[in-house]
Amino acid sequence: MIKIIKRDQPSRAIFFFTPVLAIFLTLVAGGLIFFILGFKPFEALKFFFIVPIADKYGFSELLLKATPLCLIAIGLSFCFKSNNWNIGAEGQLTFGAIVSGGVALLFYEQEGFYILPIVILAGAIGGMLYASIPAILKTYFNTNEILVSLMLVYVSKLILDYLVVGPWSNPEGFNFPETRQFSDSAKLPLLFEGLRIHAGIFLALAAVVISWFVFYKTYLGFQMKVSGFSLKTARYAGYKGKKMIILVFLISGACAGLAGVGEITGPIGQLHREISPDYGFTAIIVAFLGRLHPVGIIFASLVVAITYLGAETAQIFMQIPKYTGQVFQGMILFFLLASDYLLFFKIKFIGSKK
Amino acid sequence: MNTNLKISNVTKIYPGCVANDNVSLEFNSGKIYALLGENGAGKSTLVKILSGVIIPDEGEIYLNKNNLKLNSPLDAKKNDIGMVFQHFNLFETLSVFENLIIDSDEQRESLREKIDTIMKKYNFSIDLDIPVLNLSAGQKQKVEIIRCLIRSPKVLIMDEPTSVLTEQETSELFLSLKKFSEEGILIIYITHKLKEVMQLCDEVAVMRRGKLVSVSEIKNENIESLANKMVGQNLKTIKKKKAKTSSDQLIKITNLNFTSEDPFETNLMDINFSVNRGECLGIAGISGNGQSELFQVLSGEIISEKNSIEFNNNYIGDLSPQERREFLMAFSPEDRLEQAAIPQMKIFENVALNNFKSSNFFNNGLINENKIKEHSKKIISDFNVNTNNIELKSQFLSGGNLQKLIIGRELITSPDLLICFNPTWGLDVGAINYIHETLIKINEQNKSIILISTDTDELLKLSDKISVIHKGKLSKIMNAEEVTSEKLGILMGGAN
C-alpha cells in the first residue's frame, strides 16, 4: 500500500533532486514516445541528445542556443523570485531586437568601435521599455501581469512583421520580409573561425555573475528577496514595494532585450520575421528547471538547448518533425511540476497486511 | 416540536492553548441564547465544533438526545444545524439564486418557490437574479440566512452577525431572529457586544480563556455584570511600579483620520492622544475595531498628514517606516509570521529587517553580513532566544522565541518609543512573562510604549494610561488606576 504524508517542511535535498528526476522521466517518456512511433528508443534518444553535440560544431551550436535561454532565464528569475509572473519575455526579446536593429540600421555601412555598444544598449533599453508596460499597469492599475505581458508578445511580433515588410525592408531585397544586413561594426564578433558561437555568450555569463552578486550580496537584492516573500513585511520594513516590482520587470526586460540583440547581431545579422524560436517562452522552463538560481540556470539552459538541436538532428536523420523538441520541453516542465509534489509530500510504501 | 441541543464536556486543545476546556452547555428552542466572550475566549472554536468545521478532542454533542458525530460541515447541515459565519461565503459574481442552488439538491423550480415563500414569510426583499456583488452587507447576510432556512434547520447559529451591519440592518436582523425563535428554531447568537445581548437574548453563556464562566438569564444581568464576567477580575499581581510621571511629551497625535477603500478595514476617526516619556499607553478594544489600521498609521505603513503625528518635536506623519526608525521609533506588529518576520529566512536575515543607518548592516548598498551576524548573536543572548544558531531559519523558532527575537531586533537602537500590537498573542505563560518584564524595563529606562492589545489583563498590568478603541474612535484617555475591567468591558462593547 502506498501512503502519502505531508512533509513538515520542504526537503532541501529533494529541492535539487527533482530537476534531475524530471529530466530522467522526460528521457523515459521520450523513449516511450519514440517506441510507439516505431523507432528504436535508445537510438532515437542518441540522435536527439548525443549526436548533436558530439563534435566541435555541435558544441558551438549548443552554446549558441543556450546563450539566449540563459540570459532570459536569469532575468526572469528576478521576477519569479519576487512573485511577479512575467511570461512575456518573448515580447521583450522581440522589442529589444527591434530597437537595437533599428539603431544598427542607422549605422548602415558605417564603421566604428562605438557602434556595437550603442546597439547592445539600445536592445537592453528596448526590452526594459517593453517590460515596463506590464509592470506599470500592475503596480498602478492592478492589472494582471500574466495577461498583459503575454498579450504584448503578439503585439511585438506584429510590430516586427510590419517593420520588416514595410518601412525597414531591404530596398534591394526583392520584397523578402527582412532588413538590410547590419554593418560588421554592429555585429557581435564570432569567437572561432567557422563556428557560429559569438561574443553574446559573455553577455550571458556576465548576467549570471551580476545577478548572483545583486541578489545575494546587495541591499537591493535583499529588498527584492524580502518583497518576494512578503509584501507586508517589505512595507513594514519600509521598502518601496512598487518600485521593487517595476525594477524586477526592468531587469528581466533588459536581459530579454539583450538576448534579442544577441540573436540579430550574432548569426543572423539582420532583422527578419522569425528572430527567435520562442526562446522567451522556453526560458520560463529553464528558469524553473534551474531552480531560479544562477548556477542552476546555466545547467538548465544547456539541457534545454539540446532539445532544440536534437529536434533538428532528429528531423534530418529520422524524419521526425522538429516540433518534437517542443514536446520534450513541455515534458520537462510537466515532470518538474509533477515531481515538485515530492517537495511537500513523502511517499511511503507500507507492506500490505493480511 | 421542541429542540434540545446539548454540548457535553467538549475539549479542544491546540498546541500551546486550550481553546475549549471541558465545556458543557444545554440549549432549548424558544429562546435566544447569547454566547459572549472576548477574542480568543473560545466562542468561535465552540461554534466551529457545532458546525462540523472542527472536530473536538473530547466530548459529545446531542441533538434531541441523539449523539451527533459532526465530522464535516455537511454533517451539521444534514443534522439541521445551520450556521451563518461572520464573513460571507458567497460567490460575488454569481446571482443570488445561483448561490443558493449550489449546495441544494432541489429542482430549480421547487427551490425558487421555496425561497419565495421564505422571503414572503419573513418580509425579505431580495432580487434573486442579480449578482451578489450588487447587494449590501445586510442583504448578503439575508442570503446566507435564506440558505440555512431552505433546509428548515432546528438550530441556527449566528457568528458575530452585526459586525458588518448598519444600525438599521441590525434591528431588522433582530426582528427576524425573534420571529425564527417564535417558530421554534433554536438560536445561538455569538457576540462580544453587550448591548446586543441585553436587547436580543434570553439567556447568556459567558466564556473566558476557553472555559465556561457562567450561564444565566438576561433578566438577572446588566451590562456591568456581563462586562465583569467577560473580561474577568483584574489580576494586577505583577503590576509594575508606578512610573515617575514625567510631563515631557514624546509623541502627539492630532486630528488623525484614515479612510480605507477596503470594506474589511476600519476607518479611523479623529484620533487624538499623546504619550510622555517613560509612559505606557494601552489601547484596548475588541479586534477589528481599527487597531491594525492605527498600528499601520503609527508605523508609517500608512502615510498620513505630516502634522498629524508629532514625534520629539518633529512632524513625521508623512514619513515611511524606515525614516521613522531614524527618529528612534520601533515597531512590533501583530502578525509575527507574515509581517514582523519572514519564516523562510534565516535568523540573522530577519534581524537585518530593522535597518538603521548607524547599525551599518548595509554599507554602500552591500550586505555587511558580519555586522548583522554579530548583532544577531547579541540579540539572541540578551533576549534569551532559545537557540545559538543564527543561521537557523526562523520558522524553526517557537512563537515565544520568535517574538523575543523581534522585540530584541526592534530594541537594537534603544528607541525612544516602541509600538507593539498584541505582543504576547498566542504565547505560553513563560514567554508572556518575559515579554512583559521586557516592556516594563523599557518604561523604567524612561522610554515610552504604545501597547495596542486585545488582552485586557495585559493592558491593566502594563499601562499607565488606557484608552479604548471602538469602531475606529478612541475613548478618552484614562489613568490606569481609575480603570476597572468593568469599565473597559463596557467601552469595548461600544457603550458609554
Side-chain angles (χ1 to χ4, degrees), chain B residues 240 278-281 332 383 403 407-408 410-411 417-424 431-453 458-459 461-464:
Chain B
K240 68 173 188 183
E279 225 175 38
C280 175
L281 170 70
S332 162
F383 288 86
Q403 185 68 12
I407 296 268
E410 294 305 309
L411 295 179
L417 174 68
L418 174 68
I419 302 171
C420 340
F421 184 10
N422 277 343
T424 58
I432 292 177
N433 277 336
Y434 188 87
I435 301 285
H436 284 174
E437 277 165 25
T438 309
L439 294 182
I440 290 172
K441 235 182 267 165
I442 295 172
N443 275 158
E444 283 169 357
Q445 291 162 355
N446 208 27
K447 314 276 186 192
S448 313
I449 297 173
I450 296 176
L451 175 63
I452 305 172
S453 176
E458 174 172 281
L459 286 165
K461 193 161 125 191
L462 299 175
S463 313
D464 299 302

Coordinates of all heavy atoms in Angstrom, one line a residue, chain B residues 240 278-281 332 383 403 407-408 410-411 417-424 431-453 458-459 461-464:
Chain B
K240 N 3.3 46.8 37.4 CA 4.6 47.4 37.5 C 4.5 48.6 38.5 O 3.4 49.1 38.8 CB 5.0 47.9 36.2 CG 4.2 49.0 35.6 CD 4.8 49.5 34.4 CE 4.1 50.8 33.9 NZ 4.7 51.3 32.6
G278 N 8.7 57.7 29.2 CA 8.6 56.7 30.3 C 7.2 56.2 30.6 O 7.0 55.5 31.5
E279 N 6.3 56.5 29.6 CA 4.9 56.1 29.9 C 4.5 55.0 28.9 O 5.1 54.8 27.9 CB 4.1 57.3 29.5 CG 3.0 57.6 30.5 CD 2.3 58.9 30.1 OE1 2.1 59.2 28.9 OE2 1.9 59.7 31.0
C280 N 3.6 54.2 29.4 CA 3.0 53.2 28.5 C 1.5 53.5 28.3 O 0.8 53.5 29.3 CB 3.2 51.8 29.1 SG 2.3 50.5 28.2
L281 N 1.1 53.8 27.1 CA -0.3 54.0 26.8 C -0.8 52.7 26.3 O -0.4 52.2 25.3 CB -0.4 55.1 25.7 CG -1.8 55.3 25.2 CD1 -2.8 55.8 26.2 CD2 -1.8 56.1 23.9
S332 N 6.6 46.6 16.6 CA 6.4 45.2 16.7 C 5.0 44.8 16.3 O 4.1 45.0 17.0 CB 6.7 44.7 18.1 OG 6.2 43.4 18.3
F383 N 18.3 38.6 24.8 CA 16.9 38.4 24.9 C 16.5 36.9 25.1 O 15.3 36.6 24.8 CB 16.2 39.0 23.7 CG 16.2 40.5 23.8 CD1 17.3 41.2 23.2 CD2 15.2 41.2 24.4 CE1 17.3 42.6 23.3 CE2 15.2 42.6 24.5 CZ 16.3 43.3 23.9
Q403 N 9.1 35.9 19.0 CA 8.7 37.3 19.4 C 9.8 37.9 20.2 O 10.0 39.1 20.1 CB 7.4 37.1 20.3 CG 6.9 38.5 20.8 CD 6.3 39.3 19.7 OE1 6.1 38.8 18.6 NE2 6.0 40.5 19.9
I407 N 11.2 41.5 19.2 CA 11.4 42.6 20.2 C 12.8 43.0 20.4 O 13.2 44.2 20.3 CB 10.8 42.2 21.6 CG1 9.3 41.9 21.5 CG2 11.1 43.3 22.6 CD1 8.4 43.1 21.7
G408 N 13.7 42.0 20.4 CA 15.1 42.3 20.6 C 15.6 43.1 19.4 O 16.4 44.1 19.5
E410 N 13.9 45.0 17.5 CA 13.4 46.4 17.5 C 14.0 47.3 18.5 O 14.1 48.5 18.4 CB 11.8 46.4 17.7 CG 11.1 45.7 16.6 CD 11.3 46.4 15.2 OE1 11.2 47.6 15.1 OE2 11.7 45.7 14.3
L411 N 14.6 46.6 19.5 CA 15.2 47.4 20.6 C 16.7 47.6 20.4 O 17.4 48.2 21.2 CB 15.0 46.7 22.0 CG 13.5 46.7 22.4 CD1 13.4 45.9 23.7 CD2 12.9 48.0 22.5
L417 N 10.6 55.2 21.5 CA 9.2 54.7 21.5 C 9.1 53.4 20.9 O 9.5 53.2 19.7 CB 8.3 55.7 20.8 CG 6.8 55.3 20.7 CD1 6.1 55.3 22.0 CD2 6.1 56.3 19.7
L418 N 8.4 52.4 21.6 CA 8.2 51.1 21.0 C 6.7 51.0 20.8 O 5.9 51.2 21.8 CB 8.7 50.0 21.8 CG 8.4 48.6 21.4 CD1 9.1 48.2 20.1 CD2 8.7 47.6 22.4
I419 N 6.2 50.7 19.6 CA 4.8 50.5 19.4 C 4.6 49.0 19.2 O 5.1 48.4 18.2 CB 4.3 51.3 18.2 CG1 4.6 52.8 18.4 CG2 2.8 51.1 18.0 CD1 4.4 53.6 17.2
C420 N 3.8 48.4 20.1 CA 3.6 46.9 19.9 C 2.1 46.7 19.7 O 1.3 47.3 20.3 CB 4.0 46.0 21.1 SG 5.1 46.7 22.2
F421 N 1.8 45.6 18.9 CA 0.4 45.3 18.7 C 0.3 43.8 19.0 O 1.0 42.9 18.5 CB 0.2 45.5 17.2 CG -1.3 45.2 16.7 CD1 -2.3 45.0 17.7 CD2 -1.6 45.2 15.4 CE1 -3.6 44.8 17.3 CE2 -2.9 45.0 15.0 CZ -3.9 44.7 15.9
N422 N -0.5 43.5 20.0 CA -0.6 42.2 20.6 C 0.7 41.4 20.7 O 0.8 40.3 20.1 CB -1.6 41.4 19.6 CG -3.0 41.7 19.9 OD1 -3.3 42.2 21.0 ND2 -3.9 41.4 19.0
P423 N 1.6 41.9 21.5 CA 2.9 41.3 21.5 C 3.0 39.9 22.1 O 3.9 39.1 21.9 CB 3.7 42.3 22.4 CG 2.7 42.9 23.2 CD 1.5 43.1 22.4
T424 N 2.0 39.5 22.9 CA 2.0 38.2 23.5 C 0.9 37.3 23.0 O 0.7 36.2 23.5 CB 1.8 38.3 25.0 OG1 0.6 38.9 25.3 CG2 3.0 39.1 25.7
A431 N 6.8 32.8 28.1 CA 7.2 33.8 27.1 C 6.5 35.1 27.4 O 7.0 36.2 27.3 CB 6.9 33.3 25.7
I432 N 5.2 35.0 27.8 CA 4.4 36.2 28.1 C 5.1 37.0 29.2 O 5.3 38.2 29.1 CB 3.0 35.8 28.5 CG1 2.2 35.3 27.3 CG2 2.2 37.1 29.0 CD1 0.8 34.8 27.6
N433 N 5.4 36.3 30.3 CA 6.1 37.0 31.4 C 7.4 37.7 31.0 O 7.6 38.8 31.4 CB 6.4 36.0 32.5 CG 5.1 35.8 33.4 OD1 4.3 36.7 33.4 ND2 5.1 34.6 34.0
Y434 N 8.1 37.0 30.1 CA 9.4 37.5 29.7 C 9.2 38.8 28.9 O 9.8 39.9 29.2 CB 10.2 36.5 28.8 CG 11.6 37.0 28.5 CD1 12.6 36.8 29.4 CD2 11.8 37.8 27.4 CE1 13.9 37.2 29.2 CE2 13.1 38.3 27.2 CZ 14.1 38.0 28.1 OH 15.4 38.5 27.8
I435 N 8.2 38.8 28.0 CA 7.9 40.0 27.2 C 7.4 41.1 28.1 O 7.8 42.2 28.0 CB 6.8 39.6 26.1 CG1 7.3 38.5 25.2 CG2 6.4 40.9 25.3 CD1 8.3 38.9 24.2
H436 N 6.5 40.8 29.0 CA 6.0 41.8 29.9 C 7.1 42.4 30.7 O 7.2 43.6 30.9 CB 5.0 41.2 30.9 CG 3.7 40.9 30.2 ND1 2.6 40.3 30.8 CD2 3.2 41.2 29.0 CE1 1.6 40.2 30.0 NE2 1.9 40.8 28.8
E437 N 8.0 41.6 31.3 CA 9.2 42.2 32.0 C 10.0 43.1 31.2 O 10.4 44.2 31.6 CB 10.0 41.0 32.6 CG 9.5 40.4 33.9 CD 10.2 39.1 34.2 OE1 11.3 38.9 33.7 OE2 9.5 38.2 34.8
T438 N 10.2 42.6 29.9 CA 11.0 43.5 29.0 C 10.3 44.8 28.8 O 11.0 45.9 28.8 CB 11.1 42.8 27.6 OG1 11.6 41.5 27.8 CG2 12.1 43.5 26.7
L439 N 9.0 44.8 28.6 CA 8.3 46.0 28.3 C 8.3 47.0 29.6 O 8.5 48.2 29.5 CB 6.8 45.8 28.0 CG 6.6 45.0 26.6 CD1 5.2 44.8 26.3 CD2 7.3 45.8 25.5
I440 N 8.2 46.4 30.7 CA 8.3 47.2 32.0 C 9.7 47.8 32.1 O 9.8 49.0 32.4 CB 8.0 46.3 33.2 CG1 6.5 45.9 33.2 CG2 8.4 47.0 34.5 CD1 6.1 44.9 34.3
K441 N 10.7 47.0 31.7 CA 12.1 47.5 31.8 C 12.2 48.8 30.9 O 12.9 49.7 31.2 CB 13.1 46.4 31.3 CG 14.2 46.2 32.4 CD 15.1 45.1 31.9 CE 14.8 43.7 32.3 NZ 15.5 42.7 31.6
I442 N 11.6 48.7 29.7 CA 11.7 49.8 28.7 C 11.2 51.1 29.4 O 11.8 52.1 29.3 CB 10.9 49.5 27.5 CG1 11.5 48.3 26.7 CG2 10.9 50.7 26.6 CD1 10.7 47.8 25.6
N443 N 10.1 51.0 30.0 CA 9.5 52.1 30.7 C 10.4 52.6 31.8 O 10.5 53.9 32.0 CB 8.1 51.8 31.3 CG 7.0 51.9 30.3 OD1 6.0 51.3 30.4 ND2 7.2 52.7 29.2
E444 N 11.0 51.7 32.5 CA 11.9 52.1 33.6 C 13.1 52.9 33.1 O 13.7 53.7 33.8 CB 12.4 50.9 34.4 CG 11.3 50.4 35.3 CD 11.6 49.0 35.9 OE1 12.6 48.5 35.6 OE2 10.8 48.6 36.7
Q445 N 13.5 52.6 31.8 CA 14.6 53.4 31.2 C 14.1 54.7 30.6 O 14.8 55.3 29.8 CB 15.3 52.5 30.2 CG 16.0 51.4 30.7 CD 16.3 50.3 29.6 OE1 15.9 50.4 28.5 NE2 17.0 49.3 30.0
N446 N 12.9 55.1 31.0 CA 12.4 56.4 30.6 C 12.0 56.4 29.1 O 12.0 57.4 28.4 CB 13.3 57.6 30.9 CG 12.5 58.8 31.1 OD1 11.3 58.8 31.4 ND2 13.1 60.0 30.8
K447 N 11.9 55.2 28.5 CA 11.4 55.1 27.1 C 9.9 54.8 27.2 O 9.4 54.3 28.1 CB 12.1 53.9 26.4 CG 13.6 53.8 26.7 CD 14.3 54.7 25.7 CE 15.8 54.5 25.9 NZ 16.6 55.6 25.2
S448 N 9.3 55.1 26.0 CA 7.8 55.0 26.0 C 7.3 53.8 25.2 O 8.0 53.3 24.3 CB 7.2 56.3 25.5 OG 7.8 57.4 26.1
I449 N 6.1 53.5 25.5 CA 5.5 52.3 24.8 C 4.0 52.7 24.4 O 3.3 53.3 25.2 CB 5.4 51.1 25.6 CG1 6.8 50.6 26.0 CG2 4.7 49.9 25.0 CD1 6.9 49.5 27.0
I450 N 3.6 52.4 23.2 CA 2.2 52.3 22.9 C 1.9 50.9 22.7 O 2.4 50.2 21.8 CB 1.9 53.1 21.6 CG1 2.2 54.6 21.8 CG2 0.4 53.0 21.2 CD1 2.0 55.5 20.5
L451 N 1.0 50.4 23.6 CA 0.6 49.0 23.6 C -0.8 48.8 23.1 O -1.7 49.1 23.8 CB 0.8 48.4 25.0 CG 0.4 47.0 25.2 CD1 1.2 46.0 24.4 CD2 0.5 46.6 26.7
I452 N -0.9 48.3 21.8 CA -2.2 48.0 21.3 C -2.5 46.6 21.6 O -1.7 45.7 21.1 CB -2.3 48.3 19.8 CG1 -1.9 49.8 19.5 CG2 -3.7 48.1 19.3 CD1 -1.8 50.1 18.0
S453 N -3.5 46.2 22.3 CA -3.7 44.8 22.7 C -5.2 44.5 22.9 O -6.0 45.4 23.3 CB -2.9 44.5 24.0 OG -3.2 43.2 24.4
E458 N -3.4 42.1 30.2 CA -2.1 42.6 29.8 C -2.0 44.1 29.9 O -1.1 44.7 30.5 CB -1.8 42.1 28.4 CG -0.5 42.7 27.8 CD -0.2 42.0 26.5 OE1 0.3 40.9 26.5 OE2 -0.5 42.6 25.4
L459 N -3.1 44.7 29.4 CA -3.2 46.2 29.4 C -3.2 46.7 30.8 O -2.5 47.7 31.1 CB -4.4 46.6 28.6 CG -4.3 46.5 27.1 CD1 -5.7 46.6 26.5 CD2 -3.4 47.5 26.5
K461 N -2.1 45.4 33.4 CA -0.8 45.1 34.1 C 0.3 46.1 33.7 O 1.1 46.6 34.5 CB -0.4 43.7 33.7 CG 0.7 43.1 34.5 CD 0.7 41.6 34.3 CE 2.0 41.1 33.8 NZ 1.9 39.7 33.4
L462 N 0.3 46.5 32.4 CA 1.5 47.2 31.9 C 1.2 48.7 31.7 O 2.2 49.5 31.6 CB 1.9 46.7 30.5 CG 2.3 45.2 30.6 CD1 2.6 44.7 29.2 CD2 3.6 45.0 31.4
S463 N 0.0 49.2 31.5 CA -0.3 50.5 31.1 C -0.3 51.5 32.2 O -0.6 51.2 33.3 CB -1.6 50.6 30.4 OG -1.7 49.6 29.4
D464 N 0.2 52.8 31.9 CA 0.0 53.9 32.8 C -1.3 54.6 32.5 O -2.0 55.1 33.4 CB 1.1 54.9 32.7 CG 2.4 54.2 33.1 OD1 2.5 53.7 34.2 OD2 3.3 54.1 32.2

